[in-house]
Structure formats: structure tokens, C-alpha cells
Amino acid sequence: MSGPAPASTTARRALQRCDELAAISSMPGGVERVHLSPEHARANAVAAGWMAQAGLATWQDQAGNQWGRLEGREPGLPSLVLGSHLDTVSDAGRYDGVLGVVSAIEVAHRLRERADELPFALEVVAFSDEEGTRFATALMGSRAVAGQWDQDWWERADADGVTVREAALAFGLDPARVGEAARRPADLAGYLELHIEQGPQLESAGRALGVVTSIAGARRFTGHVRGEARHAGGTPYPRRRDALVAAADVVLAVERLAVELGGIATVGRLQAFPGGVNVVPGLVEFSLDVRAERDADRDDLVERVRAHGEAVSRARGTTFELVETHSAPGVACDGLLSASIAEGIAATGDADPVRLWSRAGHDAMAMAAITPVAMLFVRCEDGISHAPGEDVTLGDVARGIDAFEAAVHDVARRRR
Ligand code: GLV
Ligand code: MN
Ligand code: MN
């Protein structure tokens, strides 16, 4: 690992911008910015202002993604796109997605004086929905760009019953024009994303930056265990069909099976109904998120969880159901673009960067359907993410932006 990088002015500004975006939140005392919300609109407007300051021509597309573009050595060239997302989970940290967007703007800012030498246009994108927090399906913004908008999404409702269609209209989008967000592969030269690692591997290895080899594709489900709600005092055990006890058995099996099979599976939300202190739970609804380095292993894990849930339900007189709400295939990062990321990291002093696969999902997965993609990870404190404790150092961010810029130069060198 190289010595500490001097903290650059651009890194300081990038971190200030992360703080500024964190203040655009629907959650008092915390960070939450979800797809098609008023906070999403404000964050896009703020990011558009920064893009304009960096010399980019800006527009918001019909899926709510915010774009900026710097022409290359001639107008209309295919673009190298740098980006990430501005939406967040609930009670989020301030760097997931956001650091990638503000770093991309800094790279564009640095390159603008020399853009007329670039053999591609440079675009920056702030995607609208990577997390899926509001509508329980992820990557809606980048999937629209990849031409993979699913018409069934329009009728999906959030927790308050507001559908995607209603939210899009309130946001000022025209649902009939969502297809206009799709980009043609011929107009793209590739997609590069800088993102915090969201895990502890770089920190353990003592490295600031890493090259992502592939991105695991998550499958997400809403699960139901149905039993019978009855009197908590009056119902003897042999007569109970307790949905929560059955669900608890499934939750423990999710962890055990994931460890056994080398995958990662999480029940992040679980609710028992009717929720009375003196009522045997008759229904449990829960979420399930399943990942693995290889899609086949992930799918195997899903089937093992399903088989366990059905077996538990047979034994306890309940029923078990998993309904898929999101599925993304795992994606391999492009060899050539990843070599440019490695060159970029080498330019910051780490000649043999760590290579790692991403356990977290990213917009790059959706973009891979239309253009080659590569990713640069930045170390985060204690591997914490999707929580308010998310943190990065100024030195690592400075090094990350330097590496990102050097990677763009390397892509340009290879395309000349
Ligand atoms: C996105 O952050 C994910 O859940 O992987
Ligand atoms: Mn993210
Ligand atoms: Mn995230």
C-alpha cells in the first residue's frame, strides 16, 4: 500500500457535498431519500447545479435519473458514463451511492479543460432508485436506462398505497415516455462506478481502494407464513398453528443454510399479525434477501429455504409462501475497463490492487445489459453501510477520486 495521499481540495468538496445531500431527508434526525419523493427531486436539482458548475450540460430523464454531459474531441461521440445513485435505504449513511455521484462530478470537473482531447463524451449520472426502498424492487432507474423497464412496475404500491404511476406523475414525469430514458448501446463507451465497499475486506487488507471483479445478483422475496389467530390463554399447544413460531424456525434456518452453502441471506423485516399480546399470531409477513457469488448457488439457497419453510409448515399446520419481488443476475465486470481501474489505482501508488467481488448490488449491474462496466471500491470504516455509522476518510476519498480520474485517462488512452 502506498503512503497517505494528500487530502485534495476536490475530496474535501466531495465530502461536503455528501453532507449537503444527507440533509435532504424525509427522516427527522436521519437520512432517508426514496425514489420519486420530494427529497429525490431536491437532490436531483442540487446535483444538477453541481454538474452545471463542472461545465456539464444537464437533464433529468423520464425515469427520474439526473444526467450531465461533457462533449469530447467532437460533439456526439459515444459516452463513457460515470455514476452511482442518490436514493437511500431508511436511516442510511451518507456515502452509499452518493460518494460515487459526487466523485464522478469531481472527475468531470477536473477533466473539463481537457475534454476536447477525449475520444468519447463524458457523462455523469445520478440514478434514481438503486435501493428499492420505496417500491420493494431495486434498480428501477438504471433498468429504465438499460431499456428494461417492466410495465408491471407502474401498479406497484409503496407502504401508503401510492403506486409508481401516481408517484411518477407527482414527480412531474410522463409514464408514457419512460422508454425515452433508455440509452442505445451504440451511444455508450462504457460505465464506471466508484462506490464504498460496504464490507470490511479492504480495511482488513490495509488498502484504500479495490477493483471489483463481479457483482452478486440479489433475489428478494416477500414471505408469508399463515396459521390461525386464537386466544393466547385458551388454546392448548396441540391446537395451536402459531405462524410466528414457524417463521422463527425459518429465520434461523435462513442463517444456517446460508453459512452451509456459502451464500448470504437476510430476513430484514418481519411482522406478526394481528399483533396482540394475548393472541396467537395467525400470520407473519417477512422479507428475504439472498445473494451468492454465483447465481446457481444463490438459487440453490433459495430452494433450500423454501423446502425448509414448507417442511416446518407441514409439521406445524401452517402454510408457507415466498413471492419474488426482485431478481437481478450477477454480473462480471469488463476485463479491459477493470484493467483501467487497476491502472487508475496504480497511479495512486498501489501497483497490485486488491480484487474482490461485490456482495452488494449496484447500478452497474443494470448498465451491464447495454455497455461494459467496471467498478472501483473505496474502503469504509469497519465495513459499516446501510446504517448511520457509514464513514470514509478524507485521504481515501482523495485517493479514490485520483484513481477514478486516472482510470478515465487510461480508458481514453486505450481507445485512441
Ligand atoms: C444495495 O445496496 C444492496 O442491497 O445490495
Ligand atoms: Mn449503493
Ligand atoms: Mn445501498
Side-chain angles (χ1 to χ4, degrees), residues 84-85 96-97 130-131 193 195 198 361-363 386:
S84 196
H85 61 98
D96 175 359
E130 187 267 350
E131 304 287 6
E193 180 165 352
H195 203 286
Q198 308 184 276
H362 300 289
D363 293 295
H386 283 187

Side-chain angles (χ1 to χ4, degrees), residues 52-298:
Q53 268 177 40
L56 309 184
T58 65
W59 72 99
Q60 182 177 273
D61 71 18
Q62 285 293 339
N65 303 303
Q66 178 62 48
W67 293 83
R69 179 177 169 108
L70 198 57
E71 295 297 344
R73 67 182 169 211
E74 58 191 81
L77 287 172
S79 55
L80 182 67
V81 181
L82 315 182
S84 196
H85 61 98
L86 291 182
D87 68 308
T88 73
V89 295
S90 194
D91 205 10
R94 46 187 66 199
Y95 304 108
D96 175 359
V98 172
L99 184 66
V101 173
V102 300
S103 298
I105 295 172
E106 293 301 343
V107 169
H109 201 124
R110 284 187 187 179
L111 285 169
R112 71 175 167 169
E113 300 305 333
R114 295 174 55 197
D116 57 357
E117 295 168 22
L118 293 175
F120 41 70
L122 194 69
E123 292 187 10
V124 174
V125 60
F127 285 116
S128 59
D129 173 57
E130 187 267 350
E131 304 287 6
T133 307
R134 183 170 183 187
F135 296 107
T137 192
L139 304 169
M140 280 175 149
S142 41
R143 282 182 165 180
V145 171
Q148 294 183 341
W149 183 266
D150 181 340
Q151 292 300 327
D152 290 346
W153 287 344
W154 291 120
E155 305 317 321
R156 261 175 191 274
D158 68 9
D160 297 324
V162 178
T163 64
V164 174
R165 182 185 303 281
E166 289 162 347
L169 287 167
F171 194 82
L173 302 174
D174 178 354
R177 294 175 55 195
V178 71
E180 293 173 18
R183 298 294 298 269
R184 296 186 320 146
D187 292 336
L188 302 173
Y191 173 79
L192 303 182
E193 180 165 352
L194 176 150
H195 203 286
I196 55 166
E197 183 204 333
Q198 308 184 276
Q201 292 191 70
L202 290 174
E203 193 175 65
S204 301
R207 308 289 187 96
L209 307 174
V211 184
V212 178
T213 52
S214 65
I215 309 164
R219 289 178 69 187
R220 294 187 185 147
F221 301 84
T222 296
H224 289 104
V225 179
R226 290 190 171 79
E228 189 184 19
R230 289 177 65 140
H231 198 289
T235 313
Y237 279 107
R239 298 259 191 124
R240 289 186 185 223
R241 297 194 290 129
D242 186 326
L244 184 53
V245 175
D249 189 317
V250 173
V251 173
L252 290 173
V254 163
E255 184 188 57
R256 179 175 51 76
L257 290 168
V259 171
E260 262 174 46
L261 300 180
I264 314 165
T266 306
V267 175
R269 183 174 48 78
L270 185 146
Q271 201 173 356
F273 299 93
V277 288
N278 55 356
V279 186
V280 175
L283 169 70
V284 168
E285 184 177 287
F286 63 96
S287 65
L288 176 66
D289 174 294
V290 185
R291 307 166 193 231
E293 185 174 11
R294 294 179 340 116
D295 288 354
D297 295 339
R298 174 202 63 185

